[in-house]
Amino acid sequence: MVTCHPLHRPVWNALNSGWSSLAQGNACALRIDPRFGPFAAAADDSMEAQAALGTLVPEGGEAWLVEPAPIMTPPGTRMLREAMLVQMVAEQIAGDAPPIAPLLLTDDDAAEMRALALMTKPGPFLPLTHRLGRFIGIRDQGKLVAMAGERMRVPGFAEVSGVCTHPDHRGKGYAKALMQIVARAMLERGETPFLHAYAAHEATVALYETLGFHVRARMHMMVIAKD
Protein backbone atom coordinates (compact mmCIF):
# COMPACT_ATOMS: atom_id res chain seq x y z
CA MET A 1 0.00 0.00 0.00
CA VAL A 2 1.30 3.47 -0.90
CA THR A 3 1.28 5.65 2.20
CA CYS A 4 0.82 9.46 2.43
CA HIS A 5 2.32 11.42 -0.45
CA PRO A 6 4.01 8.99 -2.88
CA LEU A 7 7.39 10.63 -2.24
CA HIS A 8 7.07 10.87 1.55
CA ARG A 9 8.58 7.38 1.90
CA PRO A 10 9.94 6.82 -1.59
CA VAL A 11 11.55 3.40 -1.11
CA TRP A 12 8.61 1.82 0.71
CA ASN A 13 6.16 3.25 -1.79
CA ALA A 14 8.26 2.16 -4.79
CA LEU A 15 8.46 -1.37 -3.39
CA ASN A 16 4.67 -1.38 -3.14
CA SER A 17 4.08 0.03 -6.63
CA GLY A 18 6.63 0.44 -9.42
CA TRP A 19 9.08 -2.03 -7.90
CA SER A 20 6.50 -4.50 -6.59
CA SER A 21 7.53 -7.23 -9.06
CA LEU A 22 11.10 -7.01 -7.69
CA ALA A 23 10.19 -6.75 -3.99
CA GLN A 24 11.29 -9.36 -1.47
CA GLY A 25 9.96 -9.67 2.09
CA ASN A 26 6.50 -9.36 3.58
CA ALA A 27 3.98 -6.84 4.85
CA CYS A 28 6.37 -5.80 7.64
CA ALA A 29 9.44 -5.01 5.52
CA LEU A 30 10.55 -5.17 1.90
CA ARG A 31 13.72 -4.87 -0.11
CA ILE A 32 14.36 -4.80 -3.84
CA ASP A 33 15.95 -7.85 -5.45
CA PRO A 34 19.64 -7.31 -4.56
CA ARG A 35 20.71 -7.76 -8.18
CA PHE A 36 18.87 -4.52 -8.97
CA GLY A 37 19.74 -2.41 -5.95
CA PRO A 38 20.33 -2.25 -2.19
CA PHE A 39 17.17 -0.37 -1.15
CA ALA A 40 14.93 -1.58 1.68
CA ALA A 41 12.25 -0.22 3.99
CA ALA A 42 10.10 -1.23 6.93
CA ALA A 43 6.33 -0.75 6.94
CA ASP A 44 6.56 1.38 10.09
CA ASP A 45 8.67 1.92 13.19
CA SER A 46 7.18 -0.96 15.18
CA MET A 47 9.53 -3.53 16.72
CA GLU A 48 8.08 -6.23 14.47
CA ALA A 49 8.68 -4.23 11.31
CA GLN A 50 12.18 -3.18 12.32
CA ALA A 51 13.12 -6.77 13.17
CA ALA A 52 11.82 -7.86 9.76
CA LEU A 53 13.87 -5.14 8.11
CA GLY A 54 16.99 -6.42 9.84
CA THR A 55 16.48 -9.89 8.40
CA LEU A 56 16.47 -8.48 4.86
CA VAL A 57 20.02 -7.14 5.10
CA PRO A 58 22.17 -9.59 3.11
CA GLU A 59 25.20 -11.26 4.64
CA GLY A 60 28.26 -9.37 3.46
CA GLY A 61 26.08 -6.74 1.79
CA GLU A 62 24.26 -3.52 2.57
CA ALA A 63 20.75 -2.11 2.77
CA TRP A 64 20.11 1.53 1.89
CA LEU A 65 17.25 3.30 3.66
CA VAL A 66 15.77 6.63 2.55
CA GLU A 67 13.31 8.04 5.06
CA PRO A 68 11.83 11.43 6.01
CA ALA A 69 13.24 11.04 9.54
CA PRO A 70 16.11 8.98 10.99
CA ILE A 71 15.25 5.55 12.37
CA MET A 72 16.88 3.35 14.97
CA THR A 73 19.32 0.83 13.54
CA PRO A 74 17.31 -2.41 13.14
CA PRO A 75 18.18 -5.33 15.45
CA GLY A 76 21.18 -7.31 14.27
CA THR A 77 22.54 -4.51 12.07
CA ARG A 78 25.02 -1.66 12.35
CA MET A 79 25.16 1.75 10.70
CA LEU A 80 27.84 2.05 8.03
CA ARG A 81 27.18 5.63 7.01
CA GLU A 82 24.44 8.20 6.81
CA ALA A 83 23.83 11.49 5.02
CA MET A 84 21.24 14.15 4.43
CA LEU A 85 19.59 14.23 1.02
CA VAL A 86 17.38 16.73 -0.70
CA GLN A 87 14.45 15.35 -2.64
CA MET A 88 13.74 17.53 -5.66
CA VAL A 89 10.85 17.59 -8.15
CA ALA A 90 10.23 19.41 -11.42
CA GLU A 91 6.84 20.24 -12.88
CA GLN A 92 8.56 21.46 -16.04
CA ILE A 93 12.09 21.35 -17.41
CA ALA A 94 13.87 24.57 -18.31
CA GLY A 95 16.08 25.24 -21.31
CA ASP A 96 16.09 24.53 -25.00
CA ALA A 97 16.32 21.01 -26.36
CA PRO A 98 19.97 19.93 -26.02
CA PRO A 99 21.90 19.63 -29.32
CA ILE A 100 22.90 16.01 -28.77
CA ALA A 101 21.58 12.65 -29.94
CA PRO A 102 22.22 10.23 -27.07
CA LEU A 103 22.22 6.48 -27.48
CA LEU A 104 19.63 4.22 -25.86
CA LEU A 105 21.63 1.94 -23.56
CA THR A 106 20.83 -1.78 -23.32
CA ASP A 107 22.08 -4.98 -21.73
CA ASP A 108 24.97 -4.87 -24.19
CA ASP A 109 26.19 -1.71 -22.45
CA ALA A 110 25.69 -3.00 -18.90
CA ALA A 111 29.34 -3.65 -18.06
CA GLU A 112 30.41 -0.17 -19.22
CA MET A 113 27.49 1.46 -17.42
CA ARG A 114 28.42 -0.16 -14.14
CA ALA A 115 32.11 0.65 -14.58
CA LEU A 116 31.26 4.32 -15.19
CA ALA A 117 28.95 4.39 -12.16
CA LEU A 118 31.52 2.73 -9.89
CA MET A 119 34.12 5.28 -11.00
CA THR A 120 31.94 8.37 -10.53
CA LYS A 121 29.68 7.16 -7.68
CA PRO A 122 26.32 8.75 -8.55
CA GLY A 123 24.69 6.24 -6.20
CA PRO A 124 24.41 2.46 -5.90
CA PHE A 125 24.59 0.70 -9.26
CA LEU A 126 24.25 -3.07 -9.10
CA PRO A 127 24.53 -5.59 -11.96
CA LEU A 128 20.88 -5.15 -13.04
CA THR A 129 20.26 -1.54 -12.01
CA HIS A 130 20.23 -0.58 -15.68
CA ARG A 131 17.00 -2.59 -16.09
CA LEU A 132 15.04 -0.42 -13.66
CA GLY A 133 14.19 2.04 -16.42
CA ARG A 134 15.32 3.67 -19.64
CA PHE A 135 18.97 4.76 -19.69
CA ILE A 136 20.62 6.92 -22.33
CA GLY A 137 24.28 7.74 -22.83
CA ILE A 138 26.95 9.49 -24.84
CA ARG A 139 29.94 7.78 -26.41
CA ASP A 140 33.20 9.40 -27.45
CA GLN A 141 35.43 7.39 -29.77
CA GLY A 142 33.39 4.34 -28.85
CA LYS A 143 33.75 4.79 -25.08
CA LEU A 144 30.75 5.43 -22.81
CA VAL A 145 31.53 8.80 -21.19
CA ALA A 146 28.16 9.94 -19.76
CA MET A 147 24.76 8.52 -18.92
CA ALA A 148 21.48 9.16 -17.12
CA GLY A 149 18.39 7.09 -16.53
CA GLU A 150 15.48 6.10 -14.33
CA ARG A 151 15.25 4.27 -11.00
CA MET A 152 12.29 4.51 -8.60
CA ARG A 153 8.77 4.77 -9.90
CA VAL A 154 5.78 5.54 -7.69
CA PRO A 155 2.27 6.61 -8.73
CA GLY A 156 2.59 9.82 -10.73
CA PHE A 157 6.37 10.19 -10.27
CA ALA A 158 9.56 8.79 -11.81
CA GLU A 159 13.10 9.23 -10.48
CA VAL A 160 15.99 10.59 -12.54
CA SER A 161 19.06 8.61 -11.49
CA GLY A 162 22.44 7.24 -12.53
CA VAL A 163 23.56 10.66 -13.79
CA CYS A 164 27.31 10.60 -14.27
CA THR A 165 30.13 11.78 -16.53
CA HIS A 166 33.65 10.42 -16.91
CA PRO A 167 36.12 12.83 -15.25
CA ASP A 168 37.90 13.42 -18.56
CA HIS A 169 34.68 14.68 -20.16
CA ARG A 170 33.23 16.96 -17.52
CA GLY A 171 32.45 20.58 -18.32
CA LYS A 172 30.84 19.73 -21.66
CA GLY A 173 27.23 19.89 -20.44
CA TYR A 174 26.59 16.18 -20.93
CA ALA A 175 24.93 15.57 -17.54
CA LYS A 176 22.59 18.54 -17.92
CA ALA A 177 21.62 17.57 -21.47
CA LEU A 178 20.95 13.95 -20.59
CA MET A 179 18.88 14.94 -17.56
CA GLN A 180 16.78 17.26 -19.72
CA ILE A 181 16.03 14.44 -22.13
CA VAL A 182 15.25 11.88 -19.41
CA ALA A 183 13.05 14.26 -17.39
CA ARG A 184 11.13 15.54 -20.40
CA ALA A 185 10.35 11.97 -21.44
CA MET A 186 8.87 11.43 -17.98
CA LEU A 187 6.71 14.53 -18.29
CA GLU A 188 5.51 13.37 -21.70
CA ARG A 189 4.39 10.10 -20.08
CA GLY A 190 2.41 12.07 -17.50
CA GLU A 191 4.89 11.50 -14.66
CA THR A 192 6.58 14.19 -12.56
CA PRO A 193 10.38 13.82 -12.48
CA PHE A 194 12.07 13.68 -9.08
CA LEU A 195 15.57 12.98 -7.84
CA HIS A 196 17.68 12.74 -4.72
CA ALA A 197 20.95 14.60 -4.20
CA TYR A 198 23.33 14.90 -1.28
CA ALA A 199 22.37 18.09 0.54
CA ALA A 200 26.04 18.95 1.08
CA HIS A 201 26.71 18.99 -2.68
CA GLU A 202 25.52 22.56 -3.17
CA ALA A 203 26.90 22.94 -6.71
CA THR A 204 25.03 19.82 -7.82
CA VAL A 205 21.78 21.02 -6.24
CA ALA A 206 22.26 24.40 -7.95
CA LEU A 207 22.68 22.67 -11.32
CA TYR A 208 19.44 20.78 -10.83
CA GLU A 209 17.70 24.03 -9.95
CA THR A 210 18.72 25.51 -13.32
CA LEU A 211 16.84 22.63 -14.94
CA GLY A 212 13.63 23.47 -13.09
CA PHE A 213 13.93 21.16 -10.08
CA HIS A 214 13.12 22.50 -6.64
CA VAL A 215 13.52 21.01 -3.18
CA ARG A 216 10.42 19.20 -1.98
CA ALA A 217 11.80 17.69 1.23
CA ARG A 218 14.94 16.74 3.10
CA MET A 219 15.51 13.02 3.52
CA HIS A 220 17.75 10.86 5.69
CA MET A 221 19.86 8.25 3.91
CA MET A 222 21.21 5.40 6.04
CA VAL A 223 23.33 2.47 4.92
CA ILE A 224 23.24 -0.54 7.23
CA ALA A 225 24.93 -3.94 7.32
CA LYS A 226 24.73 -7.09 9.43
CA ASP A 227 26.50 -7.01 12.82
Side-chain angles (χ1 to χ4, degrees):
M1 177 187 296
V2 174
T3 56
C4 304
H5 187 284
L7 299 183
H8 179 64
R9 300 193 62 212
V11 175
W12 177 252
N13 288 337
L15 288 164
N16 281 279
S17 56
W19 283 353
S20 61
S21 64
L22 302 174
Q24 300 176 350
N26 55 36
C28 290
L30 294 169
R31 69 156 294 142
I32 191 171
D33 180 329
R35 298 173 300 167
F36 290 80
F39 295 98
D44 51 46
D45 59 3
S46 67
M47 292 180 61
E48 181 183 14
Q50 293 303 312
L53 177 59
T55 67
L56 294 177
V57 181
E59 293 289 345
E62 302 174 343
W64 288 49
L65 318 177
V66 179
E67 299 288 351
I71 66 170
M72 296 292 292
T73 306
T77 70
R78 68 184 189 280
M79 185 77 71
L80 294 181
R81 57 191 179 278
E82 55 186 324
M84 288 299 302
L85 307 177
V86 288
Q87 184 185 82
M88 306 180 76
V89 298
E91 288 78 20
Q92 59 183 9
I93 299 299
D96 297 329
I100 64 169
L103 301 169
L104 179 64
L105 301 177
T106 69
D107 279 351
D108 292 338
D109 305 293
E112 278 190 279
M113 295 170 72
R114 189 157 190 241
L116 181 60
L118 292 175
M119 175 191 293
T120 56
K121 296 179 170 55
F125 207 94
L126 280 292
L128 296 183
T129 296
H130 66 281
R131 293 186 182 176
L132 291 176
R134 176 174 173 266
F135 275 82
I136 57 175
I138 297 172
R139 289 187 176 277
D140 184 273
Q141 298 182 354
K143 180 180 179 180
L144 183 65
V145 298
M147 69 176 183
E150 306 172 0
R151 187 169 62 187
M152 294 186 211
R153 183 166 277 111
V154 298
F157 296 85
E159 184 188 26
V160 180
S161 185
V163 181
C164 53
T165 304
H166 191 285
D168 294 342
H169 293 268
R170 288 175 181 161
K172 300 179 181 180
Y174 288 163
K176 184 173 182 177
L178 291 174
M179 287 184 67
Q180 285 178 300
I181 294 169
V182 169
R184 284 187 173 133
M186 294 170 175
L187 289 168
E188 289 171 2
R189 296 197 304 255
E191 296 174 302
T192 299
F194 75 101
L195 56 82
H196 292 98
Y198 289 107
H201 293 182
E202 295 179 359
T204 300
V205 173
L207 168 65
Y208 297 159
E209 289 175 335
T210 68
L211 289 170
F213 285 88
H214 58 89
V215 176
R216 178 194 168 272
R218 294 176 69 85
M219 309 293 287
H220 294 259
M221 185 272 286
M222 295 152 280
V223 180
I224 59 175
K226 290 285 191 186
D227 276 341

